[in-house]
Amino acid sequence: MLIGAETAERDWVGYEIKESYKKGNGLLGIYIHNVVDLDRRTDVKGKNPFDNLYIENKTNGQKTYLSQTYKTYDWVNDNGYGNFASWVDQAARQAGK
């Protein structure tokens, strides 16, 4: 998932994350605020959407936020161009795929 300035506040984003989780898909987030746009500007860093969602342990009620489980990366600072494939591979392995 690409994470922009307002991604975490979008209702459909939470829905899509939940559905991907239910399907057992690998999950990761990529911050894009440092990517230069056509006007040579960047944006502010958005909130991590995985902070909004959690899994509740049925036995003890303890919440584990998805941000504790799934990684996020910064496209520019973490060299997304060179590392994207390994990020996807790692997310897939984490999902058992």
Side-chain angles (χ1 to χ4, degrees):
M1 158 191 19
L2 299 179
I3 305 171
E6 299 175 3
T7 303
E9 286 76 38
R10 305 283 188 213
D11 291 336
W12 55 268
V13 170
Y15 171 80
E16 292 295 338
I17 294 171
K18 287 177 193 175
E19 292 302 308
S20 285
Y21 177 82
K22 287 179 192 176
K23 291 177 181 178
N25 293 337
L27 296 171
L28 70 133
I30 301 172
Y31 289 102
I32 58 171
H33 65 286
N34 284 322
V35 176
V36 177
D37 68 15
L38 294 174
D39 296 322
R40 308 293 303 154
R41 293 180 296 184
T42 59
D43 206 349
V44 296
K45 185 176 182 179
K47 182 182 172 198
N48 184 345
F50 295 143
D51 285 340
N52 296 338
L53 303 165
Y54 59 86
I55 303 158
E56 190 167 343
N57 184 308
K58 293 179 183 178
T59 305
N60 62 16
Q62 183 177 353
K63 296 177 183 177
T64 301
Y65 284 86
L66 297 187
S67 58
Q68 294 172 272
T69 304
Y70 299 106
K71 291 189 173 195
T72 58
Y73 304 91
D74 182 294
W75 182 260
V76 173
N77 293 336
D78 295 327
N79 187 20
Y81 188 80
N83 292 317
F84 181 70
S86 65
W87 299 344
V88 172
D89 286 343
Q90 183 178 4
R93 281 193 308 275
Q94 184 179 9
K97 298 187 178 206

